[in-house]
Amino acid sequence: MKIEILPDADAVARKAAEAIAADARASVLARGRFVMAVSGGHTPWLMLRALANEDVPWQSVNVVQVDERVAPAGDPDRNLTHLRESLLEHAPLRPEQIHAMPVEASDLEAAAKRYALTLREIAGTPPVLDLVHLGLGPDGHTASLVPGDPVLNVTDSDVALTGVYQERRRMTLTYPMLNRSRRILWLVTGSDKVAALQRLRDCDRSIPAGRIRQDQALVLADSAAAPQLKGDKQI
């Protein structure tokens, strides 16, 4: 794992956009496509808007969701709402290149299985994502892999449903799916993430984030989240 410390969230977002664009160009050159998964959060929306200004082979890009709240279409709680606003209004991406988690379905279990099939259609069997963006919660959660939730133990499905967390159920990619990815890009900002980032750095498997593979991981953190680290730190 490589950890790079930047001054603030804006700098993290810009650096992340540069890293994604570079990976996209390399992936399209090597495999003819680039499939990335995006989580929610304020800094990622800044990242996606910055990505619109980068040299990206957009026609060969597919965007999937890391996780999504079970909520109606257009709900401000939905990651998809902000994902579409950030990309479709700023980048030359067609709506069909964004693959939404079907959280409006009446049968959510069946919907999760359908999304797993969608991933196979665009990323192979088994599906391998070229890049996954992840965030880090103060409690050590990532994606919607939350401490104590049974979803942490799912090993036979790439997409699963959680229990209620912060008043919403979620649909999320699971460890098998995340850990097959070619690159993990963590964005960690804010002083409330200090302890969680230390535990992630120390490969603490007692937090959900600590069970994500680290060999191809890049962590971009702001100085508020990593006051104990100076400059770049290679782990």
Side-chain angles (χ1 to χ4, degrees):
M1 174 186 287
K2 180 181 179 182
I3 300 179
E4 185 171 344
I5 311 305
L6 297 146
D8 53 36
D10 285 344
V12 167
R14 291 193 300 272
K15 185 70 174 182
E18 292 173 5
I20 292 171
D23 271 22
R25 294 191 297 270
S27 178
V28 170
L29 187 63
R31 292 176 293 278
R33 67 187 181 196
F34 178 66
V35 184
M36 72 170 178
V38 181
S39 301
H42 177 69
T43 304
W45 311 144
L46 297 176
M47 171 190 76
L48 293 174
R49 292 180 185 183
L51 186 62
N53 297 318
E54 295 289 332
D55 179 16
V56 176
W58 290 107
Q59 71 281 2
S60 301
V61 171
N62 281 282
V63 180
V64 303
Q65 292 189 272
V66 170
D67 60 339
E68 181 61 284
R69 295 170 179 85
V70 176
D75 192 294
D77 278 352
R78 290 280 298 273
N79 291 337
L80 180 67
T81 303
H82 305 284
L83 177 59
R84 285 176 168 162
E85 288 174 356
S86 298
L87 279 180
L88 296 182
E89 295 180 13
H90 299 274
L93 196 70
R94 302 185 308 277
E96 59 267 26
Q97 290 174 267
I98 297 178
H99 304 270
M101 284 184 159
V103 295
E104 299 157 43
S106 57
D107 186 338
L108 289 171
E109 295 288 349
K113 292 178 181 178
R114 286 201 307 273
Y115 200 68
L117 291 175
T118 297
L119 294 174
R120 291 184 188 181
E121 291 171 0
I122 62 176
T125 304
V128 177
L129 301 173
D130 296 300
L131 182 144
V132 174
H133 152 254
L134 292 175
L136 180 66
D139 60 357
H141 87 264
T142 192
S144 284
L145 303 173
V146 176
D149 195 291
V151 77
L152 299 179
N153 300 318
V154 173
T155 60
D156 59 353
S157 178
D158 290 334
V159 185
L161 294 162
T162 73
V164 176
Y165 176 69
Q166 295 179 346
E167 301 181 353
R168 299 276 195 189
R169 292 192 74 191
R170 319 288 178 104
M171 188 177 291
T172 186
L173 301 185
T174 61
Y175 284 121
M177 184 73 215
L178 296 172
N179 284 330
R180 282 199 303 270
S181 304
R182 294 185 173 92
R183 164 91 79 167
I184 300 291
L185 177 65
W186 297 89
L187 270 60
V188 185
T189 59
S191 58
D192 59 337
K193 310 293 178 60
V194 171
L197 180 56
Q198 289 176 332
R199 295 175 74 178
L200 176 66
R201 177 198 62 186
D202 294 339
C203 307
D204 183 349
R205 291 179 61 85
S206 70
I207 61 170
R211 293 169 58 184
I212 301 293
R213 62 180 291 190
Q214 296 200 354
D215 58 319
Q216 295 295 327
L218 170 63
V219 179
L220 301 178
D222 68 358
S223 57
Q228 79 282 12
L229 299 178
K230 302 294 183 182
D232 294 358
K233 185 175 182 65
Q234 183 78 37
I235 296 180

